[in-house]
Amino acid sequence: MSEPLRLAVVGSGPAGFYAAGPLLAAGHEVDMIERLPTPWGLVRLGVAPDHPQLKTVSRAFEKIAAQPAFRFLGNVEVGRDLEHADLASLYDAVIYTVGSQTDRQLGIPGEDLAGSWAATELVAWYNAHPDYQELEFDFDVERGVVIGNGNVALDVARMLALTREELAPTDATDASIDAITSSPIREIVVLGRRGPVQAAWTSTELHEMGDLAGADIVVDPAELELDPASETELAEASNIVHRNMDILREFAAREPGGKPRRIVLRFGVSPIALLGDGRVEAMELVHNELVPDGKGSVRAQATAEREMLEAGIVFRSVGYRGQPCPGVPFDEGSGTMPNDAGRVLGEDGKPLTGVYCAGWIKRGPTGVIGTNKKDAAETVEALLADAEAGVIGGRGASAAEVDALLVDRGVEAVVYSGWEAIDAAEKAAGEPHGRPRIKLTTWDELLATARG
Ligand code: NAP
């Protein structure tokens, strides 16, 4: 083989590791650049704490990280410590796998009231993201509302309903476990703007909503009656949708079990305003009818019917959204980097030499963790084809030159052994309590432990 390529992968979530794996296997060298001192992206900071089985994918990432040609450079932020232009001159190619860093908004009056949150803020908080520990959620409420019908909405509704016994063996922060379990909250309402056939959640996640120790699941059978367009859609729908309908019908047939909390799944309603004196107290809902969208599904169309719903805390869970990386093309409409099979495109629509993307910043915030494997493989294939064609290669600076630049800029990179020190400390803290880990929650603790 000719000289190994020196490659930068920006972002250490699943897409980053699924890109690094085949690049290392092809004999190339990968520096993975990450703004946090910890790797794994949403596997560490997004996956719900009561879903430890989903986090075991990090074992595959550990094997990738153990390869000699791999380096982790945490606590290095592109746009602050290094610019895209630096990466472009230091490496033969740069692959952005930075995910979707922010959330989508509803754009309705009252969305900025205290007590109105992005679901992603709650998720980052209970998962110990060091940037989100100062948020002050007021759970001194009787009803919470989650807007959206995706898996994140289910995660948030479920987390708010878990008992202390269910949360105790998880790696959720102690502060979040205390706050959630001591809340007087009685009801969590999940609002879908369309119907049950169009819900974006998956069946396993829906099914477990019916198995919670401290919360009943409530579905009004009338809301499962389908309009003709949804009936047609269901006839053509995947097994997942049919299974979801079976699960929902079983939920709707249940008698209330008298558990302390209840989760209510509602369909065909959209919030049009959040109301309250200085903080959320209620929301105005409009009832929707579903009309064919001309693409084989239906869209929600508001009717004249309105409803008031009291709620003390509201989480919008209507999808993530990508953020631009300074110096790299970004499509505001889709919140992604414009690309062709992972080759980032310039304004002229032609690929930029040596710039690639994979994961959510490439295709948008869809799919499960494993979806990123195929996605990253496509990008790697494009990159390797470009190397084969002589489009990229022969420019990469040495690892020592990269390190020297970081030192010169006063950047204290957390290398993989630093993360291993954090990992060991967290696991050791969790072990006596039967927990997988107790996460460090502040930048200071994380950096000090990595140094230690
Ligand atoms: P998502 O699956 O895209 O769901 C977003 C939901 O928000 C949809 O129900 C959507 O309804 C609704 N929505 C969008 N705009 C709205 C508006 N203005 N008003 C009301 N509702 C609105 O997004 P997500 O839940 O954030 O999840 C992101 C990805 O991560 C998904 O692929 C998900 O499966 C994955 N994930 C997986 C797991 C797991 O496997 N356990 C856990 C968490 C997340 P419409 O369909 O009507 O647009």
Side-chain angles (χ1 to χ4, degrees), residues 4 26 33 40 101 117 134 166 175 213 224 249 256 273 275 278 377 383 400 413:
I33 295 166
W40 318 152
Q101 301 275 329
W117 299 94
E134 303 300 317
E166 286 168 316
L224 299 184
R249 289 192 185 109
L275 309 165
L383 186 154

Side-chain angles (χ1 to χ4, degrees), residues 186-345:
R186 312 286 295 175
E187 185 170 283
I188 300 122
V189 185
V190 181
L191 301 179
R193 65 175 167 182
R194 299 193 289 163
V197 171
Q198 293 81 29
W201 48 50
T202 40
S203 306
T204 311
E205 282 64 28
L206 179 62
H207 184 265
E208 80 178 299
M209 304 301 280
D211 287 335
L212 304 182
D216 289 318
I217 184 82
V218 179
V219 178
D220 179 352
E223 291 198 2
L224 299 184
E225 281 168 24
L226 301 182
D227 58 283
S230 292
E231 286 282 9
T232 308
E233 191 177 335
L234 181 62
E236 308 274 307
S238 68
N239 287 342
I240 297 176
V241 177
H242 286 277
R243 174 112 180 80
N244 288 349
M245 286 304 296
D246 289 344
I247 295 167
L248 288 167
R249 289 192 185 109
E250 190 268 308
F251 288 169
R254 287 188 189 187
E255 293 294 328
K259 293 177 182 173
R261 291 180 181 176
R262 44 187 246 151
I263 295 175
V264 183
L265 304 181
R266 301 250 344 239
F267 299 98
V269 283
S270 293
I272 51 174
L274 303 187
L275 309 165
D277 185 9
R279 57 164 300 111
V280 174
E281 293 164 18
M283 59 171 60
E284 187 174 9
L285 299 179
V286 66
H287 288 228
N288 298 322
E289 60 186 0
L290 301 179
V291 296
D293 66 358
K295 298 177 218 154
S297 187
V298 294
R299 65 184 171 80
Q301 184 168 283
T303 67
E305 194 180 344
R306 304 279 166 96
E307 174 186 337
M308 293 295 279
L309 180 67
E310 283 183 20
I313 194 162
V314 175
F315 299 96
R316 60 178 179 279
S317 181
V318 295
Y320 288 80
R321 195 182 146 71
Q323 288 271 72
C325 281
V328 187
F330 184 72
D331 175 30
E332 283 293 341
S334 61
T336 59
M337 291 181 177
N339 73 91
D340 178 12
R343 292 182 181 95
V344 175
L345 303 175

